[in-house]
């Protein structure tokens, strides 16, 4: 992958990255009468009588709002709503490219959680789903929770749950390769923000019992009095106070913190066949080369595309919303998230098509330490994850579509890729 210059980056974004295309004909007077007045009154009356018909007669069924207040933009921090717009447009590009979902970016010049919920609730009739993005913790937890309770469409804060699902998929496969029992391993999470807490909760759902979480002040332990309610859930009775303390005897390290905080010496103190997900971007907590210098039995992942096992949220959010939208889900449940993680884990065990290998400049990819997570641009992710999510929505009773045929749905998705 070539190095991108500032000039290239600015040139790429001139005029923005998304636009609106018209799907229906609008070339004649009759077309105009159908698109607008008087013909448009007919679907309006139908929807007035039955609001569910908005899914049939408007773009609601395939439209997601990407909403931010610009307080936690990846790698940039609190840069404000308008400065975060290029990132939100980029998210909309990924929705369209990977799952053919239309997405509008909405940047809010508002920081009060209750007001953000109120605004999003007022906007909800327009959309089939809401993707919250780059909102600072801990208010992101409150906003997601209150908003989902207030609307009847799926709401997901991707910074939390996308990372949790992808790393959980990797963990499932790492457990199988190493032969370890997730209930007996020691997990260290460096970074107690939105993603770190969501990951820890999902690991618990998978059976993890021993998680040590670390924030900017050190280990989150039971004697601390400065913890938010979300962090307090992970406070342990322990004498560990530093990252180095916590890493001793650890089986897994998840980094969602700062570049270079993990040393070779720390890696050496971990248990056999450790899992190391160093996800600070673009510079990880420790580089794979440094881990390899310390030991040769680690399974390593980063947020970068130029190393094996990239943890990339694009493997999650487009397909989760695709499945949720297609069964007209009212919310995204924990089972839907877990279904996505398990579908990704299972896909990594399947033979990898040659075109996927070619896209990443390798001759072969096969299940093992250097391939525990599927690659972006693998078209099979759509037909693996979306149906699993849709089925979980039906099973959980949150889908408006009742007569769901998973096999028929997979065939429809395959047709859409041609």
């Amino acid at each position: 992958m070539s190095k991108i210059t500032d000039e290239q980056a600015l040139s790429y974004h001139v005029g923005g990255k998304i636009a609106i295309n018209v799907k229906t004909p609008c070339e004649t007077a009759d077309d105009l009468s159908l698109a607008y007045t008087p013909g448009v009154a007919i679907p309006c009356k139908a929807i007035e009588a039955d609001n569910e018909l908005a899914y049939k007669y408007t773009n609601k069924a395939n439209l997601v709002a990407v909403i931010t207040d610009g307080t936690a933009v990846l790698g940039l921090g609190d840069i404000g709503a308008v400065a975060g717009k290029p990132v939100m447009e980029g998210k909309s590009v990924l929705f369209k490219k990977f799952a053919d979902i239309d997405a509008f970016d909405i940047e809010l010049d508002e920081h009060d959680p209750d007001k953000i919920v109120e605004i999003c609730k007022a906007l909800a009739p327009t959309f089939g789903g809401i993707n919250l993005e780059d909102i600072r913790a801990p208010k992101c937890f409150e906003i997601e929770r209150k908003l989902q309770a207030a609307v009847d469409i799926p709401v997901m804060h991707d910074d939390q749950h996308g990372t949790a699902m992808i790393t959980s998929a990797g963990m499932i496969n790492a457990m199988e390769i190493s032969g370890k029992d997730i209930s007996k391993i020691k997990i260290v999470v460096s970074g107690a923000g939105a993603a770190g807490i969501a990951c820890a909760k999902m690991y618990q759902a998978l059976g993890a019992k021993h998680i040590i979480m670390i924030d900017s002040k050190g280990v989150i332990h039971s004697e601390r009095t400065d913890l938010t309610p979300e962090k307090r859930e992970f406070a342990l009775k322990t004498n560990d106070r530093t990252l180095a303390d916590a890493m001793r005897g650890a089986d897994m390290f998840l980094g969602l913190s700062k570049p270079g905080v993990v040393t070779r010496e720390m890696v050496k103190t971990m248990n056999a066949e450790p899992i190391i997900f160093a996800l600070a971007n673009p510079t990880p907590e420790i580089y794979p080369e440094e881990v390899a210098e310390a030991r040769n039995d680690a399974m390593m992942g980063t947020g970068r595309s130029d190393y094996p096992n990239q943890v990339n949220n694009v493997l999650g959010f487009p397909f989760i919303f695709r499945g949720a939208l297609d069964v007209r889900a009212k919310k995204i449940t924990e089972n839907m998230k877990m279904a996505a993680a398990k579908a990704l884990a299972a896909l990594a065990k399947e033979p990898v098509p040659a075109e996927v290998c070619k896209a990443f400049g390798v001759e072969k990819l096969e299940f093992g330490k250097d391939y525990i997570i599927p690659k972006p641009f693998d078209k099979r992710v759509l037909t693996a994850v979306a149906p699993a999510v849709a089925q979980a929505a039906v099973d959980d009773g949150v889908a408006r579509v009742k007569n769901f045929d998973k096999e028929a749905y997979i065939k429809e998705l395959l047709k859409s890729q041609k």
Side-chain angles (χ1 to χ4, degrees):
M1 188 173 69
S2 60
K3 182 175 176 58
I4 298 171
T5 67
D6 291 356
E7 184 178 353
Q8 284 176 308
L10 290 172
S11 177
Y12 180 87
H13 289 81
V14 170
K17 300 186 291 296
I18 58 175
I20 295 174
N21 288 321
V22 177
K23 295 165 62 178
T24 53
C26 192
E27 305 296 334
T28 67
D30 285 346
D31 291 341
L32 188 59
S33 294
L34 288 168
Y36 200 53
T37 187
V40 75
I42 306 305
C44 286
K45 290 178 180 178
I47 294 168
E48 181 186 21
D50 180 2
N51 282 185
E52 292 299 304
L53 289 176
Y55 285 97
K56 181 175 182 180
Y57 295 123
T58 76
N59 66 349
K60 181 181 177 78
N62 196 51
L63 188 62
V64 168
V66 180
I67 297 179
T68 190
D69 66 353
T71 54
V73 178
L74 179 64
L76 300 172
D78 186 353
I79 62 174
V82 69
K85 183 172 172 62
V87 179
M88 302 311 118
E89 286 188 3
K91 199 81 172 190
S92 299
V93 169
L94 300 181
F95 267 113
K96 190 65 177 180
K97 172 66 178 178
F98 288 95
D100 197 26
I101 293 171
D102 296 322
F104 290 163
D105 62 294
I106 300 174
E107 293 73 33
L108 302 179
D109 187 14
E110 176 59 67
H111 300 298
D112 179 84
D114 287 330
K115 289 183 178 179
I116 290 175
V117 171
E118 183 180 342
I119 292 167
C120 292
K121 180 182 177 182
L123 290 169
T126 304
F127 300 98
I130 294 175
N131 183 102
L132 299 173
E133 191 76 17
D134 293 350
I135 299 173
R136 184 166 51 201
K139 69 177 179 180
C140 60
F141 304 115
E142 177 186 358
I143 291 169
E144 183 187 46
R145 183 179 67 253
K146 288 183 176 180
L147 180 57
Q148 185 62 88
V151 300
D152 63 352
I153 58 175
V155 175
M156 189 176 81
H157 183 219
D158 181 55
D159 302 302
Q160 291 183 59
H161 308 297
T163 306
M165 285 179 279
I166 313 308
T167 60
S168 290
M171 176 190 276
I172 290 168
N173 284 337
M175 291 294 97
E176 179 176 329
I177 291 169
S178 66
K180 293 184 180 182
D181 182 341
I182 193 171
S183 68
K184 297 178 181 178
I185 66 170
K186 178 183 178 182
I187 301 170
V188 176
V189 179
S190 177
I197 288 172
C199 287
K201 287 184 176 181
M202 198 160 196
Y203 300 163
Q204 287 178 329
L206 283 167
K209 305 292 185 185
H210 190 187
I211 300 174
I212 297 180
M213 188 168 286
I214 296 160
D215 64 10
S216 60
K217 297 180 181 179
V219 169
I220 295 176
H221 58 84
S222 56
E223 295 178 24
R224 284 179 55 175
T225 58
D226 60 341
L227 301 176
T228 64
E230 291 78 16
K231 291 182 181 181
R232 196 171 296 120
E233 289 184 38
F234 294 95
L236 300 176
K237 289 184 178 181
T238 177
N239 293 323
D240 291 345
R241 292 295 182 266
T242 67
L243 177 58
D245 294 338
M247 289 287 276
R248 285 194 292 269
D251 297 277
M252 178 179 180
F253 169 81
L254 172 67
L256 295 155
S257 51
K258 294 181 179 180
V261 297
V262 176
T263 66
R264 296 173 181 83
E265 289 68 31
M266 292 179 192
V267 171
K268 289 177 182 177
T269 68
M270 298 180 75
N271 279 341
E273 297 188 274
I275 310 157
I276 300 173
F277 286 150
L279 306 184
N281 234 344
T283 305
E285 287 80 1
I286 187 169
Y287 276 100
E289 297 93 332
E290 297 173 292
V291 172
E293 289 171 6
R295 59 195 304 162
N296 61 9
D297 63 341
M299 281 172 273
M300 181 83 194
T302 70
R304 297 171 57 119
S305 60
D306 52 350
Y307 290 103
N309 296 320
Q310 183 191 17
V311 176
N312 191 327
N313 283 16
V314 78
L315 288 168
F317 69 85
F319 314 107
I320 293 159
F321 274 99
R322 179 75 279 158
L325 290 172
D326 288 342
V327 293
R328 300 178 186 176
K330 298 178 181 179
K331 64 186 295 186
I332 292 177
T333 66
E334 297 305 312
N335 283 337
M336 292 163 72
K337 299 169 196 172
M338 188 62 74
K342 290 181 177 179
L344 279 173
L347 181 59
K349 299 174 188 177
E350 299 293 327
V352 182
E355 60 266 25
V356 177
C357 298
K358 183 178 179 181
F360 287 88
V362 296
E363 292 185 5
K364 187 177 183 181
L365 288 168
E366 60 182 0
F367 183 62
K369 288 184 177 181
D370 288 336
Y371 182 69
I372 59 175
I373 302 170
K375 293 283 192 182
F377 295 110
D378 187 335
K379 293 182 179 181
R380 300 173 304 158
V381 177
L382 174 65
T383 52
V385 175
V389 170
Q391 185 65 63
V394 172
D395 294 343
D396 282 351
V398 298
R400 291 176 172 85
V401 172
K402 302 303 180 185
N403 299 318
F404 178 68
D405 184 332
K406 186 176 179 181
E407 294 306 316
Y409 178 49
I410 292 172
K411 289 179 181 178
E412 287 300 314
L413 290 174
L414 286 169
K415 287 181 184 177
S416 73
Q417 291 183 320
K418 294 178 180 179

